[in-house]
Amino acid sequence: LAGRDGYQFFNQEVRNEMLHQHHLAGRLQSLLNQDGGGELSLHYQPQVAARSERIESFEALLRWHSPEGYIPPSDFVKVAERTNLIERLGDWVIRQACRQQAEWRAMGLKGYRIDINISGRQAISSDVFTRLEAYVEEYGLTPRDIGIELTENVLIDADIKVRDSLRALYDRGYKIAIDDFGTGYSSMSYLKLLPVTALKIDRSFVIECAQEPKDRAIMEATVFLGHRLGLEVVAEGVENEQQLELLREMRCDLIQGYYFYKPMAATDIQRLLLGGNNPPNRASGALASDK
Ligand code: C2E
Ligand code: MG
Ligand code: MG
Ligand code: MG
């Protein structure tokens, strides 16, 4: 009897989850039909030089503020991938980021790259890289203005067509970062084969690095490996002074995390940059909020 109840309970959970995903997919689809994306927006999280603490670039991060509350990208990107909406969603992100970059440049805010996340299904199922270049051209940008982030698994699974596209982007001067480095497949041979320019140390290694010697060892080895390969090394999820100090000692190049800045709306970024891009005054506790 207990077993049968357990089985039914499980069925109900799966059913609810499927309904929820179906609901999200429908809503997402109608947002993508709206000009401007409706409830969707991009936030931008600064990446600062470890030494000068000045902003060098931004990571574009999807935000969905629905009337029922905030829906995290980790939830709906997954749904978009399962329902073939990822192509349109990804296209919206690329276009929005290019448009924003053009707007900032027109305001005189130049020299700040915007990095876009590209998910697995997006990389294999479409001509995403061609479209990226088309938008860069349409908005009068150069390859230095836009970068991309891909996870290890995407890079390893990449077929010859995707590899050729990445090579072409690399040759034209686009920055290509490996996101969440160290959390995917463990093979390193792809580092020899693929055209990338940066490694992003995953937040999971950064969180407890002050207490955990093993996390510290992995971070240090990543910085060393990255530099030996001629790559830039970025740390994500830096939240406190101890983490920052360790990364500085290890000579990590760029720092991204709440300790400096949370992801922010474009208007907040503008205010920050127009104010002179000075290192943040952390003592004031006046960090802009996310979501
Ligand atoms: P990701 O690419 O690894 O992005 C970094 C995540 O870490 C972001 O979460 C960011 O808000 C968060 N983060 C940054 N600094 C800190 C920190 O100091 N502390 C903490 N606790 N978190 C920090 P977010 O925005 O929720 O995005 C989650 C994931 O969703 C991203 O991970 C990325 O895989 C995916 N994603 C977001 N936007 C897009 C997009 O436009 N396209 C695609 N394909 N995926 C996206
Ligand atoms: Mg990323
Ligand atoms: Mg990341
Ligand atoms: Mg991550």
Side-chain angles (χ1 to χ4, degrees):
L1 196 76
R4 231 172 79 183
D5 284 344
Y7 177 72
Q8 288 200 345
F9 176 71
F10 174 74
N11 257 345
Q12 196 57 44
E13 288 245 294
V14 170
R15 212 178 117 75
N16 286 343
E17 179 58 24
M18 281 174 66
L19 281 172
H20 177 64
Q21 297 203 359
H22 184 75
H23 173 72
L24 283 186
R27 301 253 314 276
L28 201 51
Q29 180 150 34
S30 78
L31 291 178
L32 290 168
N33 287 332
Q34 288 173 37
D35 216 31
E39 296 157 12
L40 295 175
S41 65
L42 286 185
H43 274 196
Y44 301 87
Q45 186 176 28
Q47 300 178 326
V48 308
R51 295 210 199 155
S52 71
E53 302 190 359
R54 286 174 68 85
I55 297 169
E56 302 243 312
S57 50
F58 299 95
E59 178 174 10
L61 293 160
L62 263 168
R63 294 292 176 258
W64 181 357
H65 292 277
S66 90
E68 293 143 51
Y70 174 74
I71 306 171
S74 46
D75 283 5
F76 67 87
V77 168
K78 203 171 53 192
V79 172
E81 288 213 301
R82 290 205 192 107
T83 53
N84 287 327
L85 283 171
I86 191 66
E87 259 182 76
R88 290 183 59 206
L89 181 64
D91 200 70
W92 184 86
V93 169
I94 296 170
R95 178 166 202 185
Q96 185 67 22
C98 287
R99 184 189 291 166
Q100 189 60 67
Q101 178 64 284
E103 199 180 310
W104 283 344
R105 292 182 63 82
M107 296 172 74
L109 304 173
K110 294 180 182 165
Y112 304 102
R113 196 182 64 247
I114 296 178
D115 292 335
I116 298 165
N117 288 287
I118 296 186
S119 68
R121 282 284 300 283
Q122 205 184 343
I124 52 164
S125 73
S126 69
D127 49 352
V128 56
F129 305 113
T130 323
R131 304 195 64 113
L132 169 63
E133 291 201 90
Y135 284 132
V136 163
E137 168 128 18
E138 180 184 334
Y139 285 97
L141 306 174
T142 72
R144 303 186 135 268
D145 298 324
I146 300 287
I148 58 174
E149 296 190 1
L150 303 149
T151 61
E152 291 164 281
N153 297 359
V154 176
L155 287 163
I156 291 168
D157 292 341
D159 62 18
I160 194 76
K161 199 178 134 230
V162 172
R163 283 178 194 213
D164 284 349
S165 305
L166 283 172
R167 167 67 59 187
L169 287 183
Y170 177 91
D171 289 342
R172 283 195 264 283
Y174 286 89
K175 296 266 185 182
I176 304 172
I178 303 181
D179 207 354
D180 306 336
F181 184 77
T183 65
Y185 300 151
S186 57
S187 162
M188 288 222 187
S189 51
Y190 75 96
L191 286 173
K192 270 190 344 192
L193 301 170
L194 289 162
V196 297
T197 60
L199 302 182
K200 284 192 89 170
I201 301 174
D202 191 61
R203 192 166 76 84
S204 60
F205 301 116
V206 177
I207 294 173
E208 296 192 313
C209 68
Q211 295 80 40
E212 290 292 334
K214 285 182 182 173
D215 287 328
R216 217 146 57 226
I218 291 169
M219 277 182 9
E220 193 168 20
T222 304
V223 176
F224 183 79
L225 175 67
H227 287 169
R228 286 300 308 258
L229 291 167
L231 308 176
E232 198 167 39
V233 182
V234 189
E236 67 176 22
V238 176
E239 294 187 355
N240 61 49
E241 183 81 39
Q242 292 108 293
Q243 295 164 347
L244 174 65
E245 276 315 314
L246 283 168
L247 286 158
R248 273 194 179 132
E249 278 168 31
M250 294 171 188
R251 299 272 179 272
C252 183
D253 305 291
L254 289 176
I255 307 288
Q256 180 179 350
Y258 296 175
Y259 186 62
F260 285 110
Y261 303 100
K262 287 191 167 181
M264 292 182 272
T267 48
D268 293 326
I269 297 289
Q270 274 153 229
R271 206 167 305 132
L272 197 66
L273 296 181
L274 290 168
N277 184 12
N278 297 310
N281 178 7
R282 291 187 296 270
S284 74
L287 293 184
S289 67
D290 190 20
K291 292 157 197 171

